[in-house]
Structure formats: structure tokens, C-alpha cells
Amino acid sequence: MPPVTDEPFTLVIFGASGDLTRRKLVPALWSLYAGRTLPEPFTIIGSARSEVGPDEFRLRMRDAVREFARTQPPSANVWDRFAASLSYVPGDPADPALYTRLEHTLKDVEGARPGPANRLFYFATPPSLYDAIVANLGASGLANPRGGWTRIIVEKPFGHDYASARALNSQLASALREDQIYRIDHYLGKETVQNLLVLRFANEIFEPLWNRSHVAEVQITVAEALGVETRGAYYEEAGALRDMMQNHLLQLLCLIAMEPPVTFDAAPVHDEKNKVMHAIRPLDARKIDEIALRGQYGPGFAGGKPVPGYRQEKGVAPDSRTETYAALRLTVDNWRWAGVPFYLRTGKRLAKRVSEIAIRFHRTPHMIFHRAPSGVEPNELVIRIQPDEGMALTVAAKTPGPDLKLGPVRLDFRYGEVFGAEPPEAYERLLLDAVHGDSTLYARADWVEKAWSLLGPVLDTWAQASTPPPHLYEAGSWGPAEADAFIARDGGAWRQP
């Protein structure tokens, strides 16, 4: 990858009064600035329907940084320099008049500094506004580069099924080139996720083992201890399959299963991930119950306190059939992975918050230690994405004592202990990549459409009134009891993190 050069840029955030801007975007931008990695000079223009002045916007962003930023302001002077780059233009993103005001503001900003007119537009709005924003960016001419680069960042969900994803991509393509469009999946910005490719392709000891001859199964888990909180109405339209499985978990599967790209650049990496998607065996609509399972949390306990079930949450229908837990069994039909099951599971109100990938290797073909217990576990590599980022390799070792007894030993690596500081927030890396024009850790249009196409049979089957409702599970548990039988069909068992 060629070295990046810092140039001035302006970031326009549509939906600047929302939670995403307050909790993630501005805190990430501040941390980049405080760490002296944000290119300068820069301007951040917030835009939303709220009629607030620039000074009020800066005060709100100061509060947001105090509450959510990884790096706290060291002094008023440093914050004031950052805040001087914050601006605000009120307006309805569906109103063409807003884009005229933005054009004037952008020209004023760019005319007051040297360098090209580089512009980044962030869609931090509900997806229902994407079409209007794209249409207005196109009609106003703001989508066209003006002597520099012009890019947009689009938040997931990218559609809610295959047809809507294709329609969204078509709408985006009507005003912008594909290389201007950055579809953000914050999971890909996490340090541990990025480290997957380094682990695989920068360490010779792993690659020879990374295939069906040595790997027995792969389990990918993204578990949340929280319920839907205030997002009940949104979740009723989404569900676990759309909210997490279609994007985060399938992206992780691709990083685990992909072949080595020619170089670590956006196009080769995206090409290899797409090859994995095309190798995943299509899901047979007649056998969905064999490859997919859904659940819904009922009342239970979290942190020792009673919590309501999903149907008792605000904004949720009392007879809702929306899944809050989903598990899939996928197979990748290619030379490397033929016959290796990939188990994916995600859910809300589970026993703990954890995201991890567990790679279980085959047992040794012949155990020569006759006096050893027969239940010695096979080797297992666990990559922890959050929390407690790191990885652990389980190996067999002799336990101390006069008898020859074997026991598991964990070789554990923790980011915090080795590197001292907590890893940067995913949005920090992803925002910086977009400014530098590196889309490696973003999703490409064809990948998004293929992911929706793959899961289409499951979505269609679960939407049918004749299909049995989700299996209930107690809040604070590891999901429905039926999930154990689901994986036991292959003689396996879920790993309990």
C-alpha cells in the first residue's frame, strides 16, 4: 500500500444531533486529533434538523467527548483548537435548500485554506433518509469532486433484504462512483479483527494448519448481555439475523476462510472475501431448520436483577416473532474448507458480552499416553474480539505429580498487557482510512448483495406465519436449549466463553 499523504479535508455529518455522532464519531475524531494523527487543517460540519447555533453544537460535542472519548481533553487550549474546527449548518436532509447552504459553507472553508477541496459526507441518519441525501448530493453537484476527492460513508444496515440492498446500491451508483462509497461495518475496524489477517498471513506456523486437514470446526460468537434497550421499534423490523449475522458475523467468517490476497490492498482483499461468499453452500429453503435456528429472550436476570422479556420491551409487539438469537451452520465448498462446519451465533440478553472466534483442531490420530484420561481436549485457538482483546491457544501438557496425567494449558496473549494501552476505537481507524482513501476495511457493493442473497431463504422462511415461532430462552442464559441439539447433530457442542 503506498504511503498516505495528509491533505486538508472537510467532514459533513448528516444526523449530527443523533447518538452515533455523540457517542462515536466526534469522540473518535477528537481522539485522532489529540493523538496527532488527524490530517490538518480540517473542518467538521454537523448538520441536523435541530435549530442550534455553532457555539451550542460545540458545547454539546464537548460534553460528548467528556463522556465517551477514549482520550480526554488535556487542557482547555487543546480542546479550543479542536472546537474551532467544529461548525453547524441546520436543515432537513430531504430539503434541497440545505445543500445550497452547505455548498456556500464548504466554499468559505476551502477558500480560507490552501490545498484541494477534499470532502467527506457521513450518513449518520436513519436509512430511510439515504435516498434523499444521495439524490440531493447528486442534484446539487456536491457528489462531484471539485479539484480534490469527494467520498461518502454509509452506515449499516445496507438494505433489509437482497432487493432493497440492490436498490440502495443502484441509488448510490446514480450519483457516485463505487470508489467514492464507503460502507462502514465498525466490526472491521476493531484491532483484533484486523489482526486476524496478520495472524494468518504474517506467521508461517498457522497457514499450513489452516485447512480441512487440521481444523475440525469453527465457531463464531457475538453475544450481548444487554436487551434491545430503547431500540425495540427498530429491532422489530430487523431482528438478530439482519442486525448482526448478515454483516458482522459473515465478515468474520470471510476473514477466517479467505485465501491470501496478492497484496493487502482494498481490491485484492475484497476479491478474496467475495470468493468465500460464492463458495458458501446455498441455503436450501426446504431444510432451513437443519441449518438455522432462532430464539427470543423471555424474562430473566441480568447482573443479579430481574429484566423483562423481549415481548415486554417498549416498542415490541406482545405477540412478536422477531428473533433475538440466531444460529447458523454454514459450509464453505472449496478445496481448503470442504467438510468443515462453520457455526455462527449471535444474541441479546445472553450470559455475557463477548465476541470471539474459536478454531477447534482435530484430535491427535493416535493417543500414545495410555494412562492419560480419554477426554483430553483437542487444541483450540480462540481469538477474542471484545472485551479483553487477545487470543489463547489451548495445548495439552503433563500435570505436576508422579502419575502421567494430561491437562489443558492456555497460552494466553492479551493486548492490554502486551501493548500497555487499550486499543483505539474502531471508528478512529475507519474514519482515518476514509480520509486517506483506503477502503480495505469497508464493505463493497457486491459483497453486501451476496450476503443478503445468501440469507434470503432463512429470512423468507422465518417470515412465514406457518413457520414455528422462535424458541424462548431465559434472559441471562446462553440461548435456547434447542441450540445445543442444533450443534449436537454433528457431535459438537457450543464453546462457553
Side-chain angles (χ1 to χ4, degrees), residues 249-282:
L249 280 88
L250 285 180
Q251 288 279 8
L252 294 178
L253 184 155
C254 287
L255 293 175
I256 287 292
M258 66 187 276
E259 296 297 322
V262 176
T263 59
F264 189 59
D265 291 306
V269 171
H270 288 156
D271 288 345
E272 294 303 335
K273 286 163 66 175
N274 280 0
K275 289 178 186 177
V276 175
M277 294 297 291
H278 285 277
I280 296 174
R281 184 180 303 168

Tab-separated table of all heavy atoms in Angstrom, residues 249-282:
chain	number	residue	atom	x	y	z
A	249	LEU	N	-20.975	-11.074	11.440
A	249	LEU	CA	-20.515	-12.459	11.536
A	249	LEU	C	-20.066	-13.015	10.191
A	249	LEU	O	-19.085	-13.768	10.122
A	249	LEU	CB	-21.600	-13.348	12.168
A	249	LEU	CG	-21.653	-13.244	13.697
A	249	LEU	CD1	-22.569	-12.115	14.133
A	249	LEU	CD2	-22.094	-14.540	14.340
A	250	LEU	N	-20.753	-12.648	9.113
A	250	LEU	CA	-20.306	-13.111	7.806
A	250	LEU	C	-18.970	-12.476	7.412
A	250	LEU	O	-18.146	-13.103	6.744
A	250	LEU	CB	-21.363	-12.810	6.740
A	250	LEU	CG	-22.596	-13.716	6.743
A	250	LEU	CD1	-23.566	-13.305	5.647
A	250	LEU	CD2	-22.212	-15.190	6.575
A	251	GLN	N	-18.737	-11.238	7.833
A	251	GLN	CA	-17.435	-10.616	7.579
A	251	GLN	C	-16.326	-11.381	8.301
A	251	GLN	O	-15.250	-11.629	7.740
A	251	GLN	CB	-17.441	-9.147	8.031
A	251	GLN	CG	-18.241	-8.207	7.161
A	251	GLN	CD	-17.490	-7.768	5.915
A	251	GLN	OE1	-16.405	-8.263	5.606
A	251	GLN	NE2	-18.062	-6.823	5.182
A	252	LEU	N	-16.592	-11.762	9.553
A	252	LEU	CA	-15.588	-12.517	10.308
A	252	LEU	C	-15.325	-13.874	9.657
A	252	LEU	O	-14.177	-14.323	9.563
A	252	LEU	CB	-16.047	-12.708	11.756
A	252	LEU	CG	-16.162	-11.434	12.593
A	252	LEU	CD1	-16.679	-11.755	13.998
A	252	LEU	CD2	-14.819	-10.720	12.694
A	253	LEU	N	-16.383	-14.527	9.192
A	253	LEU	CA	-16.218	-15.805	8.501
A	253	LEU	C	-15.301	-15.639	7.288
A	253	LEU	O	-14.412	-16.470	7.045
A	253	LEU	CB	-17.575	-16.355	8.082
A	253	LEU	CG	-17.610	-17.747	7.431
A	253	LEU	CD1	-18.976	-18.401	7.645
A	253	LEU	CD2	-17.317	-17.703	5.942
A	254	CYS	N	-15.513	-14.575	6.531
A	254	CYS	CA	-14.693	-14.355	5.338
A	254	CYS	C	-13.225	-14.148	5.689
A	254	CYS	O	-12.333	-14.650	4.994
A	254	CYS	CB	-15.217	-13.154	4.551
A	254	CYS	SG	-16.768	-13.493	3.671
A	255	LEU	N	-12.954	-13.421	6.755
A	255	LEU	CA	-11.561	-13.183	7.146
A	255	LEU	C	-10.883	-14.478	7.599
A	255	LEU	O	-9.682	-14.666	7.389
A	255	LEU	CB	-11.505	-12.137	8.263
A	255	LEU	CG	-11.924	-10.722	7.865
A	255	LEU	CD1	-11.943	-9.812	9.080
A	255	LEU	CD2	-10.998	-10.157	6.796
A	256	ILE	N	-11.654	-15.366	8.222
A	256	ILE	CA	-11.100	-16.649	8.654
A	256	ILE	C	-10.867	-17.571	7.460
A	256	ILE	O	-9.868	-18.297	7.392
A	256	ILE	CB	-12.052	-17.326	9.665
A	256	ILE	CG1	-11.999	-16.605	11.010
A	256	ILE	CG2	-11.725	-18.801	9.854
A	256	ILE	CD1	-10.683	-16.746	11.734
A	257	ALA	N	-11.789	-17.565	6.493
A	257	ALA	CA	-11.782	-18.570	5.435
A	257	ALA	C	-11.083	-18.140	4.158
A	257	ALA	O	-10.774	-18.980	3.320
A	257	ALA	CB	-13.223	-18.972	5.108
A	258	MET	N	-10.811	-16.849	3.957
A	258	MET	CA	-10.306	-16.360	2.676
A	258	MET	C	-8.897	-16.854	2.382
A	258	MET	O	-8.128	-17.210	3.282
A	258	MET	CB	-10.338	-14.824	2.652
A	258	MET	CG	-9.392	-14.173	3.649
A	258	MET	SD	-9.611	-12.376	3.737
A	258	MET	CE	-8.575	-11.865	2.359
A	259	GLU	N	-8.576	-16.867	1.099
A	259	GLU	CA	-7.226	-17.179	0.654
A	259	GLU	C	-6.343	-15.938	0.794
A	259	GLU	O	-6.846	-14.814	0.884
A	259	GLU	CB	-7.255	-17.631	-0.809
A	259	GLU	CG	-8.013	-18.923	-1.045
A	259	GLU	CD	-7.379	-20.105	-0.333
A	259	GLU	OE1	-6.133	-20.184	-0.285
A	259	GLU	OE2	-8.130	-20.953	0.188
A	260	PRO	N	-5.023	-16.107	0.798
A	260	PRO	CA	-4.139	-14.934	0.899
A	260	PRO	C	-4.333	-14.004	-0.294
A	260	PRO	O	-4.262	-14.457	-1.446
A	260	PRO	CB	-2.733	-15.549	0.889
A	260	PRO	CG	-2.916	-16.976	1.278
A	260	PRO	CD	-4.266	-17.375	0.780
A	261	PRO	N	-4.608	-12.722	-0.054
A	261	PRO	CA	-4.681	-11.775	-1.175
A	261	PRO	C	-3.285	-11.510	-1.726
A	261	PRO	O	-2.279	-11.721	-1.037
A	261	PRO	CB	-5.279	-10.518	-0.537
A	261	PRO	CG	-4.898	-10.603	0.907
A	261	PRO	CD	-4.852	-12.066	1.249
A	262	VAL	N	-3.223	-11.059	-2.969
A	262	VAL	CA	-1.923	-10.778	-3.581
A	262	VAL	C	-1.191	-9.697	-2.795
A	262	VAL	O	0.006	-9.791	-2.537
A	262	VAL	CB	-2.115	-10.349	-5.051
A	262	VAL	CG1	-0.781	-9.965	-5.681
A	262	VAL	CG2	-2.760	-11.477	-5.842
A	263	THR	N	-1.912	-8.655	-2.409
A	263	THR	CA	-1.374	-7.603	-1.548
A	263	THR	C	-2.464	-7.190	-0.570
A	263	THR	O	-3.644	-7.463	-0.786
A	263	THR	CB	-0.947	-6.352	-2.355
A	263	THR	OG1	-2.090	-5.849	-3.070
A	263	THR	CG2	0.172	-6.685	-3.332
A	264	PHE	N	-2.072	-6.507	0.502
A	264	PHE	CA	-3.052	-6.033	1.470
A	264	PHE	C	-3.584	-4.675	1.022
A	264	PHE	O	-3.372	-3.651	1.659
A	264	PHE	CB	-2.444	-5.948	2.868
A	264	PHE	CG	-3.473	-5.676	3.946
A	264	PHE	CD1	-4.533	-6.535	4.142
A	264	PHE	CD2	-3.383	-4.552	4.748
A	264	PHE	CE1	-5.485	-6.294	5.113
A	264	PHE	CE2	-4.334	-4.297	5.729
A	264	PHE	CZ	-5.382	-5.167	5.910
A	265	ASP	N	-4.251	-4.689	-0.119
A	265	ASP	CA	-4.914	-3.507	-0.649
A	265	ASP	C	-6.398	-3.815	-0.796
A	265	ASP	O	-6.806	-4.985	-0.786
A	265	ASP	CB	-4.317	-3.107	-2.008
A	265	ASP	CG	-2.897	-2.578	-1.871
A	265	ASP	OD1	-2.695	-1.643	-1.073
A	265	ASP	OD2	-1.999	-3.111	-2.551
A	266	ALA	N	-7.203	-2.771	-0.943
A	266	ALA	CA	-8.654	-2.933	-0.896
A	266	ALA	C	-9.168	-3.938	-1.921
A	266	ALA	O	-9.883	-4.882	-1.588
A	266	ALA	CB	-9.328	-1.582	-1.081
A	267	ALA	N	-8.817	-3.772	-3.193
A	267	ALA	CA	-9.388	-4.625	-4.233
A	267	ALA	C	-9.035	-6.099	-4.060
A	267	ALA	O	-9.926	-6.962	-4.100
A	267	ALA	CB	-8.972	-4.123	-5.619
A	268	PRO	N	-7.754	-6.459	-3.842
A	268	PRO	CA	-7.442	-7.883	-3.649
A	268	PRO	C	-8.103	-8.486	-2.407
A	268	PRO	O	-8.564	-9.634	-2.450
A	268	PRO	CB	-5.910	-7.908	-3.519
A	268	PRO	CG	-5.452	-6.655	-4.179
A	268	PRO	CD	-6.525	-5.655	-3.929
A	269	VAL	N	-8.169	-7.731	-1.316
A	269	VAL	CA	-8.814	-8.239	-0.102
A	269	VAL	C	-10.303	-8.457	-0.350
A	269	VAL	O	-10.877	-9.496	0.007
A	269	VAL	CB	-8.584	-7.278	1.085
A	269	VAL	CG1	-9.441	-7.677	2.284
A	269	VAL	CG2	-7.105	-7.269	1.484
A	270	HIS	N	-10.969	-7.485	-0.962
A	270	HIS	CA	-12.393	-7.627	-1.259
A	270	HIS	C	-12.647	-8.791	-2.209
A	270	HIS	O	-13.633	-9.532	-2.056
A	270	HIS	CB	-12.930	-6.335	-1.881
A	270	HIS	CG	-13.042	-5.209	-0.896
A	270	HIS	ND1	-13.037	-3.891	-1.273
A	270	HIS	CD2	-13.153	-5.202	0.453
A	270	HIS	CE1	-13.142	-3.113	-0.203
A	270	HIS	NE2	-13.216	-3.895	0.854
A	271	ASP	N	-11.766	-8.984	-3.182
A	271	ASP	CA	-11.944	-10.086	-4.138
A	271	ASP	C	-11.895	-11.435	-3.431
A	271	ASP	O	-12.706	-12.325	-3.719
A	271	ASP	CB	-10.871	-10.021	-5.225
A	271	ASP	CG	-11.077	-8.862	-6.198
A	271	ASP	OD1	-12.192	-8.286	-6.201
A	271	ASP	OD2	-10.124	-8.525	-6.932
A	272	GLU	N	-10.948	-11.600	-2.510
A	272	GLU	CA	-10.821	-12.886	-1.815
A	272	GLU	C	-11.999	-13.126	-0.872
A	272	GLU	O	-12.469	-14.259	-0.727
A	272	GLU	CB	-9.494	-12.950	-1.040
A	272	GLU	CG	-8.250	-12.949	-1.911
A	272	GLU	CD	-8.227	-14.093	-2.925
A	272	GLU	OE1	-8.870	-15.141	-2.685
A	272	GLU	OE2	-7.570	-13.939	-3.971
A	273	LYS	N	-12.506	-12.072	-0.238
A	273	LYS	CA	-13.689	-12.230	0.617
A	273	LYS	C	-14.903	-12.622	-0.217
A	273	LYS	O	-15.715	-13.456	0.214
A	273	LYS	CB	-13.954	-10.933	1.390
A	273	LYS	CG	-12.952	-10.701	2.524
A	273	LYS	CD	-12.944	-9.270	3.007
A	273	LYS	CE	-14.208	-8.854	3.659
A	273	LYS	NZ	-14.117	-7.498	4.218
A	274	ASN	N	-15.020	-12.047	-1.392
A	274	ASN	CA	-16.140	-12.400	-2.267
A	274	ASN	C	-16.073	-13.845	-2.728
A	274	ASN	O	-17.105	-14.504	-2.892
A	274	ASN	CB	-16.178	-11.465	-3.479
A	274	ASN	CG	-16.809	-10.128	-3.150
A	274	ASN	OD1	-17.212	-9.892	-2.015
A	274	ASN	ND2	-16.891	-9.253	-4.121
A	275	LYS	N	-14.861	-14.359	-2.943
A	275	LYS	CA	-14.716	-15.761	-3.333
A	275	LYS	C	-15.250	-16.683	-2.237
A	275	LYS	O	-15.862	-17.716	-2.523
A	275	LYS	CB	-13.249	-16.080	-3.619
A	275	LYS	CG	-12.716	-15.448	-4.894
A	275	LYS	CD	-11.247	-15.774	-5.083
A	275	LYS	CE	-10.658	-15.033	-6.273
A	275	LYS	NZ	-9.202	-15.281	-6.427
A	276	VAL	N	-15.026	-16.315	-0.983
A	276	VAL	CA	-15.570	-17.109	0.127
A	276	VAL	C	-17.096	-17.088	0.078
A	276	VAL	O	-17.750	-18.132	0.209
A	276	VAL	CB	-15.071	-16.572	1.487
A	276	VAL	CG1	-15.735	-17.326	2.638
A	276	VAL	CG2	-13.558	-16.684	1.589
A	277	MET	N	-17.672	-15.904	-0.122
A	277	MET	CA	-19.131	-15.801	-0.158
A	277	MET	C	-19.723	-16.682	-1.255
A	277	MET	O	-20.762	-17.313	-1.069
A	277	MET	CB	-19.548	-14.349	-0.365
A	277	MET	CG	-19.197	-13.428	0.793
A	277	MET	SD	-20.028	-13.869	2.328
A	277	MET	CE	-21.716	-13.455	1.917
A	278	HIS	N	-19.055	-16.729	-2.396
A	278	HIS	CA	-19.560	-17.546	-3.506
A	278	HIS	C	-19.341	-19.035	-3.244
A	278	HIS	O	-20.011	-19.866	-3.855
A	278	HIS	CB	-18.901	-17.119	-4.815
A	278	HIS	CG	-19.428	-15.824	-5.360
A	278	HIS	ND1	-20.582	-15.747	-6.107
A	278	HIS	CD2	-18.985	-14.552	-5.229
A	278	HIS	CE1	-20.812	-14.488	-6.438
A	278	HIS	NE2	-19.862	-13.741	-5.912
A	279	ALA	N	-18.396	-19.376	-2.352
A	279	ALA	CA	-18.130	-20.784	-2.044
A	279	ALA	C	-19.048	-21.329	-0.955
A	279	ALA	O	-19.142	-22.546	-0.778
A	279	ALA	CB	-16.668	-20.965	-1.625
A	280	ILE	N	-19.710	-20.437	-0.196
A	280	ILE	CA	-20.628	-20.916	0.842
A	280	ILE	C	-21.803	-21.626	0.167
A	280	ILE	O	-22.419	-21.095	-0.750
A	280	ILE	CB	-21.139	-19.750	1.718
A	280	ILE	CG1	-19.970	-19.120	2.492
A	280	ILE	CG2	-22.203	-20.238	2.699
A	280	ILE	CD1	-20.359	-17.885	3.275
A	281	ARG	N	-22.085	-22.829	0.635
A	281	ARG	CA	-23.155	-23.614	0.030
A	281	ARG	C	-24.488	-22.883	0.165
A	281	ARG	O	-24.872	-22.467	1.258
A	281	ARG	CB	-23.239	-24.981	0.705
A	281	ARG	CG	-24.264	-25.929	0.079
A	281	ARG	CD	-24.276	-27.253	0.809
A	281	ARG	NE	-22.941	-27.856	0.815
A	281	ARG	CZ	-22.608	-28.898	1.574
A	281	ARG	NH1	-23.509	-29.442	2.388
A	281	ARG	NH2	-21.387	-29.399	1.526
A	282	PRO	N	-25.217	-22.706	-0.933
A	282	PRO	CA	-26.522	-22.027	-0.857
A	282	PRO	C	-27.445	-22.727	0.135
A	282	PRO	O	-27.420	-23.956	0.268
A	282	PRO	CB	-27.053	-22.136	-2.293
A	282	PRO	CG	-25.830	-22.286	-3.141
A	282	PRO	CD	-24.854	-23.068	-2.316
